Amino acid sequence: MDTLSGIVALLQPHDCVAAGFDAAGDWSIQFERHVGLKCNSVIKGGCWITVDGGKPVWLDAGDCVILPHGLPFIMSARSVSHGTDAHEIYAPVAHGGTASYGGGGEFFMAGSRFLLSGPAAEMLLPSLPPILVVKGGERGEVLAWALNRIARELQEPEPGSALTIAHLSHLILVQALRVFLAQDHSGVTGWLAALSDLNISRAVAAIHAEPSRSWTVAGLAAEAGLSRTIFAERFRQITGRTPLGYLTQWRMLLAMDRLLASDAALARIASDVGYSSESAFAAAFKRETGHSPRRYAREARNGTSGSTLRRYCASND
């Protein structure tokens, strides 16, 4: 599995909802904080979007915007600092339906929101910027099609709709990230920036392909085609972590996922993520998360593992 596919698989998109928005005139909508990741695609016309009081960004037809942090935002026909409560506009609309404002006809947007879960969501999403703008083009058309298809599946359910929507959610996320990676991403750090750097992405791909390998900084530098010193400095600048720190984080993500999703023996999980013994793995896991693997698995099954993840994320910011 390639690097991006592996990351998105761990993010586990699910519970997608979608709706259209048809507007005309001098419209403006205020969206409050939300749970999950939002993806809006402008099908017709254009609009401004302002996230959490930041700088307004103009979106043309064919453009797509991804909002990964649930921050409040405003979408409007002109740049403004307030708008009509989105709940008033969307409340009467069933999932898969289309909300209307001002009679519609001048502007149309398809939007979806889906939840992301698992350890990867809490560890990887914080490195993304508040807003990712994907400019239109051939891949933008794929996003628009997928969003419209989700809306249709929700509006007119057929056998297999639930699975179709789940797969389309994955497609939207992957396609949007693909396009973003191909664009200018100055100022972005973390795993997304790592995937867009020619040299560093090779080292990251090597880690993801063989997480159990006894990697060294020199070995990863060779994969990247850089000297050890330049590689280590560049890796830290781009990802905010040392190469071996990133390796440990990815191993912990894989281990947490296995602990949540399977009943595999700890010795097997330890071997799969690069530790020579169960005791070595348990020590590393506790050092990174503050809990033993067994306690983490027990809390996960009881729905109380979130505190462990939050502490781990905070300690690695």
Side-chain angles (χ1 to χ4, degrees), residues 3 200-211 213 215 219-220 223-224:
T3 309
I200 300 304
S201 63
R202 293 171 181 164
V204 171
I207 288 173
H208 285 232
E210 297 182 87
R213 183 170 169 178
W215 289 108
L220 291 170
E223 294 286 339

Side-chain angles (χ1 to χ4, degrees), residues 153 156-164:
E153 292 287 342
E156 302 174 9
E158 298 182 39
S161 283
L163 187 58
T164 298

Side-chain angles (χ1 to χ4, degrees), residues 73-275:
F73 64 99
I74 296 172
M75 300 192 79
S76 56
R78 59 186 178 88
S79 182
V80 295
S81 59
H82 62 279
T84 303
D85 187 347
H87 180 72
E88 296 179 15
I89 297 173
Y90 281 92
V93 180
H95 295 320
T98 297
S100 181
Y101 189 103
E106 296 177 1
F107 173 85
F108 190 83
M109 176 183 74
S112 72
R113 177 189 59 78
F114 43 86
L115 302 181
L116 302 173
S117 61
E122 295 202 37
M123 293 183 190
L124 299 177
L125 288 184
S127 67
L128 297 181
I131 176 173
L132 287 79
V133 178
V134 179
K135 303 305 291 183
E138 182 180 351
R139 287 178 172 174
E141 292 176 2
V142 173
L143 284 170
W145 173 84
L147 286 163
N148 280 320
R149 187 65 251 176
I150 284 178
R152 179 65 64 82
E153 292 287 342
L154 288 166
Q155 190 174 22
E156 302 174 9
E158 298 182 39
S161 283
L163 187 58
T164 298
I165 291 170
H167 284 304
L168 286 171
S169 297
H170 282 76
L171 173 63
I172 289 171
L173 187 55
V174 171
Q175 195 72 10
L177 292 174
R178 277 179 174 175
V179 179
F180 185 80
L181 287 171
Q183 297 175 353
D184 179 23
H185 48 270
S186 56
V188 178
T189 58
W191 63 269
L192 190 58
L195 297 189
S196 62
D197 183 276
L198 179 61
N199 299 98
I200 300 304
S201 63
R202 293 171 181 164
V204 171
I207 288 173
H208 285 232
E210 297 182 87
S212 62
R213 183 170 169 178
S214 298
W215 289 108
T216 63
V217 175
L220 291 170
E223 294 286 339
L226 298 171
S227 71
R228 185 183 185 281
T229 301
I230 292 176
F231 167 72
E233 180 179 355
R234 189 164 165 181
F235 195 101
R236 189 177 185 89
Q237 287 177 344
I238 291 175
T239 69
R241 299 179 182 277
T242 65
L244 297 186
Y246 182 91
L247 170 64
T248 298
Q249 184 198 36
W250 184 246
R251 285 174 168 176
M252 292 300 105
L253 276 173
L254 294 177
M256 287 177 173
D257 184 65
R258 292 287 299 279
L259 288 166
L260 286 169
S262 74
D263 294 322
L266 287 184
R268 176 60 185 273
I269 295 176
S271 176
D272 289 346
V273 298
Y275 292 90

